[in-house]
Amino acid sequence: MSAPRQIDLDSMSLEQLNQLKQSEEGRLSAITNHYATLRASSSRFASAQKALKEATDNASSNNNAKDIMIPLTESLYVPAKIQDPSKVMVELGTGFFVEKNVKHAHELLDRKTKLVDVNSENIMEAIASTRRNVESINDAMNGKMLEIRARQEGMKMRNAAAAAN
């Protein structure tokens, strides 16, 4: 992995700093949205783990087909029965499903959860780094503003002194 490039903020104009700040804020927003998506995925996997455990525990303890409701949309469900609680269909991603036994389904969900958690940690590091970048840019912009004001005050003082002579 290449080292992050260093930018000399002091050598940049106020306009350049503002553009850089907007760029970093856009990056921060995108990364934050990605983090939210990862956390939502983690929540879905946890929910799937819980539902799998409940469905298989209840169905296997009754030795009968368990009645469930299958969501077709967020607000439309159809009744169904779990005929064989030892097998489930698991989404692998992008609409691909595979039949797994309960143990392998739990293992798959565990792997997906761990992957999401690792990616979330990496995203949190990127968020923290980008926030530090935005703060540094803000500091540089404030310094430039003070420098501009000091020059303006100096010009006023020189003009006043010249007018007095």
Side-chain angles (χ1 to χ4, degrees):
M1 186 183 240
S2 65
R5 67 172 205 221
Q6 297 289 325
I7 297 174
D8 183 14
L9 298 177
D10 294 331
S11 67
M12 298 178 82
S13 70
L14 197 53
E15 294 84 24
Q16 290 171 322
L17 287 170
N18 193 38
Q19 288 174 350
L20 183 61
K21 179 183 172 189
Q22 288 175 353
S23 172
E24 285 296 299
E25 286 175 338
R27 180 174 182 258
L28 180 60
S29 177
I31 295 171
T32 303
N33 289 338
H34 186 63
Y35 178 77
T37 301
L38 285 174
R39 295 318 315 148
S41 295
S42 181
S43 177
R44 281 194 314 274
F45 294 144
S47 177
Q49 286 273 28
K50 181 180 176 190
L52 180 59
K53 182 170 177 24
E54 288 175 1
T56 55
D57 286 350
N58 292 340
S60 61
S61 65
N62 295 346
N63 289 335
N64 299 349
K66 179 180 175 5
D67 292 329
I68 61 170
M69 299 296 284
I70 305 292
L72 296 179
T73 68
E74 289 185 25
S75 60
L76 179 63
Y77 296 81
V78 293
K81 292 185 183 288
I82 298 177
Q83 297 298 323
D84 184 358
S86 67
K87 295 181 182 172
V88 294
M89 295 296 289
V90 179
E91 183 180 11
L92 297 177
T94 63
F96 288 96
F97 294 85
V98 67
E99 185 177 282
K100 296 263 187 193
N101 66 36
V102 172
K103 179 184 175 201
H104 289 129
H106 276 294
E107 290 170 355
L108 177 67
L109 290 169
D110 283 340
R111 283 194 310 271
K112 284 185 169 190
T113 301
K114 287 176 185 171
L115 179 63
V116 166
D117 289 344
V118 166
N119 285 335
S120 293
E121 289 173 15
N122 292 339
I123 294 293
M124 283 303 296
E125 290 172 14
I127 287 171
S129 173
T130 305
R131 282 185 178 147
R132 284 190 302 272
N133 289 348
V134 169
E135 289 171 11
S136 294
I137 294 167
N138 279 333
D139 291 345
M141 289 176 77
N142 289 335
K144 288 282 182 189
M145 293 296 289
L146 289 173
E147 189 179 302
I148 291 168
R149 284 188 197 121
R151 268 195 304 236
Q152 289 173 343
E153 290 297 318
M155 291 293 283
K156 285 181 188 176
M157 298 286 263
R158 272 185 251 137
N159 290 341
N165 290 333

